[in-house]
mmCIF file of all heavy atoms in Angstrom:
data_model
loop_
_atom_site.group_PDB
_atom_site.id
_atom_site.type_symbol
_atom_site.label_atom_id
_atom_site.label_comp_id
_atom_site.label_asym_id
_atom_site.label_seq_id
_atom_site.Cartn_x
_atom_site.Cartn_y
_atom_site.Cartn_z
ATOM 1 N N PRO A 20 13.766 -9.550 -0.821
ATOM 2 C CA PRO A 20 13.337 -8.659 -1.907
ATOM 3 C C PRO A 20 12.267 -9.235 -2.822
ATOM 4 O O PRO A 20 11.278 -8.556 -3.114
ATOM 5 C CB PRO A 20 14.627 -8.395 -2.684
ATOM 6 C CG PRO A 20 15.717 -8.634 -1.712
ATOM 7 C CD PRO A 20 15.215 -9.690 -0.764
ATOM 8 N N GLY A 21 12.429 -10.446 -3.283
ATOM 9 C CA GLY A 21 11.425 -11.047 -4.154
ATOM 10 C C GLY A 21 10.081 -11.172 -3.457
ATOM 11 O O GLY A 21 9.023 -10.953 -4.053
ATOM 12 N N TYR A 22 10.126 -11.510 -2.193
ATOM 13 C CA TYR A 22 8.915 -11.636 -1.383
ATOM 14 C C TYR A 22 8.243 -10.278 -1.222
ATOM 15 O O TYR A 22 7.024 -10.169 -1.240
ATOM 16 C CB TYR A 22 9.306 -12.235 -0.033
ATOM 17 C CG TYR A 22 8.275 -13.139 0.594
ATOM 18 C CD1 TYR A 22 7.719 -14.206 -0.109
ATOM 19 C CD2 TYR A 22 7.868 -12.941 1.905
ATOM 20 C CE1 TYR A 22 6.784 -15.039 0.483
ATOM 21 C CE2 TYR A 22 6.940 -13.772 2.502
ATOM 22 C CZ TYR A 22 6.400 -14.823 1.784
ATOM 23 O OH TYR A 22 5.480 -15.645 2.367
ATOM 24 N N GLN A 23 9.045 -9.215 -1.052
ATOM 25 C CA GLN A 23 8.485 -7.861 -0.941
ATOM 26 C C GLN A 23 7.669 -7.518 -2.191
ATOM 27 O O GLN A 23 6.559 -6.988 -2.089
ATOM 28 C CB GLN A 23 9.598 -6.828 -0.782
ATOM 29 C CG GLN A 23 10.310 -6.863 0.543
ATOM 30 C CD GLN A 23 11.389 -5.814 0.619
ATOM 31 O OE1 GLN A 23 11.193 -4.662 0.241
ATOM 32 N NE2 GLN A 23 12.554 -6.209 1.123
ATOM 33 N N ALA A 24 8.228 -7.826 -3.342
ATOM 34 C CA ALA A 24 7.543 -7.520 -4.607
ATOM 35 C C ALA A 24 6.241 -8.306 -4.728
ATOM 36 O O ALA A 24 5.189 -7.737 -5.042
ATOM 37 C CB ALA A 24 8.462 -7.814 -5.791
ATOM 38 N N VAL A 25 6.301 -9.584 -4.455
ATOM 39 C CA VAL A 25 5.114 -10.433 -4.574
ATOM 40 C C VAL A 25 4.050 -10.032 -3.556
ATOM 41 O O VAL A 25 2.862 -9.946 -3.887
ATOM 42 C CB VAL A 25 5.499 -11.926 -4.427
ATOM 43 C CG1 VAL A 25 4.269 -12.800 -4.304
ATOM 44 C CG2 VAL A 25 6.347 -12.368 -5.609
ATOM 45 N N GLN A 26 4.462 -9.758 -2.335
ATOM 46 C CA GLN A 26 3.492 -9.391 -1.301
ATOM 47 C C GLN A 26 2.817 -8.061 -1.636
ATOM 48 O O GLN A 26 1.629 -7.870 -1.370
ATOM 49 C CB GLN A 26 4.159 -9.336 0.072
ATOM 50 C CG GLN A 26 4.733 -10.662 0.532
ATOM 51 C CD GLN A 26 3.741 -11.808 0.440
ATOM 52 O OE1 GLN A 26 2.699 -11.785 1.086
ATOM 53 N NE2 GLN A 26 4.060 -12.831 -0.334
ATOM 54 N N SER A 27 3.547 -7.144 -2.245
ATOM 55 C CA SER A 27 2.965 -5.870 -2.685
ATOM 56 C C SER A 27 1.910 -6.116 -3.756
ATOM 57 O O SER A 27 0.853 -5.460 -3.756
ATOM 58 C CB SER A 27 4.060 -4.939 -3.205
ATOM 59 O OG SER A 27 4.952 -4.621 -2.170
ATOM 60 N N CYS A 28 2.178 -7.047 -4.649
ATOM 61 C CA CYS A 28 1.179 -7.406 -5.670
ATOM 62 C C CYS A 28 -0.067 -7.997 -5.020
ATOM 63 O O CYS A 28 -1.193 -7.689 -5.418
ATOM 64 C CB CYS A 28 1.768 -8.387 -6.678
ATOM 65 S SG CYS A 28 3.061 -7.687 -7.720
ATOM 66 N N HIS A 29 0.128 -8.830 -4.022
ATOM 67 C CA HIS A 29 -1.009 -9.395 -3.289
ATOM 68 C C HIS A 29 -1.835 -8.275 -2.636
ATOM 69 O O HIS A 29 -3.073 -8.322 -2.659
ATOM 70 C CB HIS A 29 -0.545 -10.358 -2.206
ATOM 71 C CG HIS A 29 -0.183 -11.721 -2.692
ATOM 72 N ND1 HIS A 29 -1.028 -12.510 -3.439
ATOM 73 C CD2 HIS A 29 0.948 -12.461 -2.500
ATOM 74 C CE1 HIS A 29 -0.440 -13.669 -3.696
ATOM 75 N NE2 HIS A 29 0.756 -13.656 -3.141
ATOM 76 N N ALA A 30 -1.159 -7.292 -2.047
ATOM 77 C CA ALA A 30 -1.882 -6.186 -1.397
ATOM 78 C C ALA A 30 -2.686 -5.396 -2.422
ATOM 79 O O ALA A 30 -3.831 -5.004 -2.164
ATOM 80 C CB ALA A 30 -0.900 -5.277 -0.661
ATOM 81 N N MET A 31 -2.109 -5.183 -3.591
ATOM 82 C CA MET A 31 -2.835 -4.460 -4.638
ATOM 83 C C MET A 31 -4.065 -5.251 -5.073
ATOM 84 O O MET A 31 -5.145 -4.695 -5.253
ATOM 85 C CB MET A 31 -1.923 -4.202 -5.833
ATOM 86 C CG MET A 31 -2.575 -3.411 -6.927
ATOM 87 S SD MET A 31 -1.355 -3.077 -8.196
ATOM 88 C CE MET A 31 -2.386 -2.297 -9.412
ATOM 89 N N ARG A 32 -3.897 -6.540 -5.240
ATOM 90 C CA ARG A 32 -5.025 -7.389 -5.646
ATOM 91 C C ARG A 32 -6.110 -7.405 -4.573
ATOM 92 O O ARG A 32 -7.299 -7.382 -4.869
ATOM 93 C CB ARG A 32 -4.532 -8.810 -5.944
ATOM 94 C CG ARG A 32 -5.630 -9.754 -6.367
ATOM 95 C CD ARG A 32 -6.306 -9.272 -7.654
ATOM 96 N NE ARG A 32 -7.466 -10.070 -7.968
ATOM 97 C CZ ARG A 32 -8.719 -9.781 -7.596
ATOM 98 N NH1 ARG A 32 -8.974 -8.714 -6.897
ATOM 99 N NH2 ARG A 32 -9.703 -10.577 -7.941
#
Side-chain angles (χ1 to χ4, degrees):
Y22 214 52
Q23 290 180 45
V25 170
Q26 298 309 299
S27 297
C28 292
H29 280 306
M31 183 176 175
R32 180 61 188 93

